[in-house]
Amino acid sequence: GEDVEQSLFLSVREGDSSVINCTYTDSSSTYLYWYKQEPGAGLQLLTYIFSNMDMKQDQRLTVLLNKKETHRSLRSADTQTGDSAIYFCAARPGGGYQKVTFGTGTKLQVIP
Amino acid sequence: DVKVTQSSRYLVKRTGEKVFLECVQDMDHENMFWYRQDPGLGLRLIYFSYDVKMKEKGDIPEGYSVSREKKERFSLILESASTNQTSMYLCASGPGLNQPQHFGDGTRLSIL
């Protein structure tokens, strides 16, 4: 089955950009979703991208496709302390019903 | 906005009890899901349902069952709770094959 990998922890200073990487093993994965989880809460959908898109920008967030096609990153410009949370990427193959596979989540700590 | 409501935010039960976790969505979504979230393991799919009275096993169905008698409601049942089922449980719903899932706020379940 699909494996989705993320680093467990990232620390950045307020105002800097942050980049969270996501690597998935199934090159046929068609959809990639990004979620944010604040302490004690559920997952909030941030954005999603199809595999034929190299980049998608949504306000401060940019999803980028790295040259290796199974590696995408979520970039946040001007990171704020309110962005401190756990960020999950999830990959899903296209064609018929296929379950979504989630990564382990990256805990982002924004230092004032 | 999509609203997925889980009946309890926190729940404490005893070993051997039968436990019901309820989830309701208000967007007429066909697909509903139950996950558990544990530190370092990300989200793991327990069961999902793509239609009323239909259910499919996810990755870790052992010790759980589900019920979907109405489209908007998906229940997770722990037949005989055990301490290793202490976890955060997340319910999600989604409208179709390629659309992202939307999550509830989660139920933190402790089995003593």
Side-chain angles (χ1 to χ4, degrees), chain A residues 43-96:
Chain A
L43 273 65
Q44 172 194 353
L45 179 69
L46 292 175
T47 188
Y48 59 104
I49 189 168
F50 303 140
S51 62
N52 61 359
M53 297 170 66
D54 289 342
M55 184 181 81
K56 180 180 180 183
Q57 187 159 4
D58 187 356
Q59 297 182 343
R60 289 191 295 119
L61 298 175
T62 304
V63 180
L64 296 168
L65 169 67
N66 291 23
K67 289 185 178 179
K68 186 177 178 181
E69 292 189 5
T70 59
H71 184 187
R72 290 190 182 270
S73 57
L74 177 71
R75 183 177 186 274
S76 176
D78 188 24
T79 311
Q80 303 297 308
T81 54
D83 294 329
S84 293
I86 300 175
Y87 291 82
F88 289 92
C89 70
R92 182 181 175 285

Side-chain angles (χ1 to χ4, degrees), chain B residues 30-44:
Chain B
E30 281 81 22
N31 306 307
M32 296 190 75
F33 310 83
W34 274 106
Y35 296 88
R36 65 177 281 176
Q37 180 183 9
D38 300 288
L41 297 178
L43 272 67
R44 293 181 290 168

Side-chain angles (χ1 to χ4, degrees), chain B residues 11-14 85-87 108-112:
Chain B
L11 206 53
V12 180
K13 296 291 183 181
R14 295 204 173 274
Q85 292 178 309
T86 291
S87 187
R108 187 163 291 282
L109 175 65
S110 296
I111 306 297
L112 304 179

Side-chain angles (χ1 to χ4, degrees), chain B residues 9 14-15 25 28 30 34-36 40 49 56-57 59 69 71-72 78 81 86 89 97-98 110:
Chain B
R9 291 298 303 274
R14 295 204 173 274
T15 304
Q25 50 98 0
D28 201 35
E30 281 81 22
W34 274 106
Y35 296 88
R36 65 177 281 176
S49 168
E56 294 283 345
K57 292 180 179 179
D59 298 320
E69 295 296 319
K71 192 175 187 180
E72 66 272 17
L78 285 65
T86 291
Y89 289 86
L97 295 177
N98 303 326
S110 296

